Amino acid sequence: MKAEVRTFLKVFPHSALFQVSKGDLLLVGSQLPLHPRYKQTWSAVETADLGRIESGQYELLSRFITGTQGLSSWIGQGPVNTDDNALLEFGAPYFLLADTLEKNLAAVNDAPWRRDLGLWMARILQTPNANEVIGRLARAYLVKGKFEHADFLARELLDGKDDLLGMIAVNQGDVDNARLYWQRSDAPASLLHLAETELVVGNPQRAIKYLKRVPVTSRTQLFHYLQALAFLASDNDDEAFVH
């Protein structure tokens, strides 16, 4: 696989790698530098087109693995495929019955990515709604379980940073740090996360304290659901019924 990528970069030295499904990778290449033109790109993408493949803008962007710098470092020195050596034609059948999928994916995901993702982020930061774009992209990486990518993006947020960092921490099983981030944020969403966490660990009274701090204008269906659960867990059935 490295020989394939090495060969590709010989012709297209500016490239980006995406994982489009569990067993499929997509290389996008150019002889000129690639710059993600977020606004122009997504203005041309119809929502219906993405809907057909049960995807969205941010979910699609979060399939990005690495770019030119990461790929160049990852492939190292080695042979390329040419018409003269037919490296892939005669080498690939040797592995025809071998289960190489997991090894290949693990290898690709070890490729350096921070510098390339940072270049993408720098371009996004030039757009008017940069904070929203970066936040939603970070959440898309979080859904995929790519916690380092999500954390890398979240730390660039101007608004909602601590709330998102708390979500990343709790998804990694770090409840204590999640609490610290959410307590520092004190945003309505963070208070709901704190209440939900306290319910999970069996502290309904503490959950109720957090819920009381949620502004009336931010009391969504989730708020009422959590409050009902908290009152039920506190043996206060009357209050639970109200909510």
Side-chain angles (χ1 to χ4, degrees):
M1 187 168 65
K2 286 186 177 181
E4 287 187 89
V5 177
R6 199 179 292 121
T7 304
F8 189 86
L9 263 65
K10 282 283 185 181
V11 183
F12 302 108
H14 303 282
S15 303
L17 181 67
F18 298 82
Q19 183 176 353
V20 294
S21 71
K22 181 173 175 59
D24 292 299
L25 300 172
L26 172 68
L27 270 170
V28 178
S30 173
Q31 293 180 341
L32 299 173
L34 289 170
H35 296 298
R37 297 174 175 84
Y38 181 83
K39 185 176 180 180
Q40 296 93 317
T41 300
W42 296 116
S43 63
V45 176
E46 295 291 338
T47 303
D49 292 334
L50 293 174
R52 286 203 315 246
I53 58 172
E54 298 181 355
S55 186
Q57 296 177 8
Y58 304 100
E59 198 279 338
L60 203 59
L61 277 175
S62 68
R63 294 179 182 273
F64 173 77
I65 294 178
T66 190
T68 303
Q69 302 294 329
L71 288 171
S72 298
S73 173
W74 179 69
I75 58 175
Q77 298 295 318
V80 297
N81 186 65
T82 67
D83 290 338
D84 294 335
N85 65 22
L87 175 67
L88 294 177
E89 181 179 358
F90 293 105
Y94 182 79
F95 297 97
L96 185 62
L97 300 179
D99 186 8
T100 59
L101 176 60
E102 296 301 331
K103 289 183 179 179
N104 283 339
L105 289 179
V108 165
N109 283 306
D110 278 341
W113 52 267
R114 291 178 181 273
R115 185 172 178 182
D116 292 295
L117 188 57
L119 292 173
W120 281 60
M121 189 161 54
R123 299 287 294 187
I124 293 172
L125 284 170
Q126 296 175 19
T127 63
N129 59 336
N131 201 81
E132 178 190 356
V133 173
I134 292 174
R136 295 183 69 173
L137 180 55
R139 284 176 169 80
Y141 272 120
L142 175 58
V143 169
K144 284 185 167 56
K146 293 200 168 186
F147 303 123
E148 289 188 30
H149 293 67
D151 184 90
F152 179 77
L153 290 166
R155 293 184 184 279
E156 295 299 318
L157 291 175
L158 298 176
D159 182 46
K161 177 190 298 186
D162 289 324
D163 182 64
L164 185 50
L165 288 173
M167 291 174 62
I168 296 168
V170 81
N171 274 274
Q172 291 179 288
D174 190 352
V175 177
D176 291 337
N177 264 328
R179 280 198 188 100
L180 290 175
Y181 283 125
W182 288 330
Q183 288 168 352
R184 190 165 64 189
S185 165
D186 207 38
S190 295
L191 292 170
L192 293 177
H193 291 317
L194 284 166
E196 188 172 11
T197 302
E198 296 302 340
L199 283 171
V200 170
V201 298
N203 293 322
Q205 292 301 323
R206 191 175 294 174
I208 291 171
K209 288 181 180 179
Y210 285 126
L211 290 168
K212 285 181 178 179
R213 289 164 52 188
V214 176
V216 175
T217 53
S218 300
R219 295 186 175 184
T220 60
Q221 289 179 330
L222 176 60
F223 165 85
H224 292 290
Y225 172 70
L226 292 175
Q227 195 161 52
L229 289 180
F231 282 127
L232 278 174
S234 303
D235 295 324
N236 192 339
D237 294 352
D238 291 339
E239 285 290 342
F241 180 78
V242 169
H243 293 278

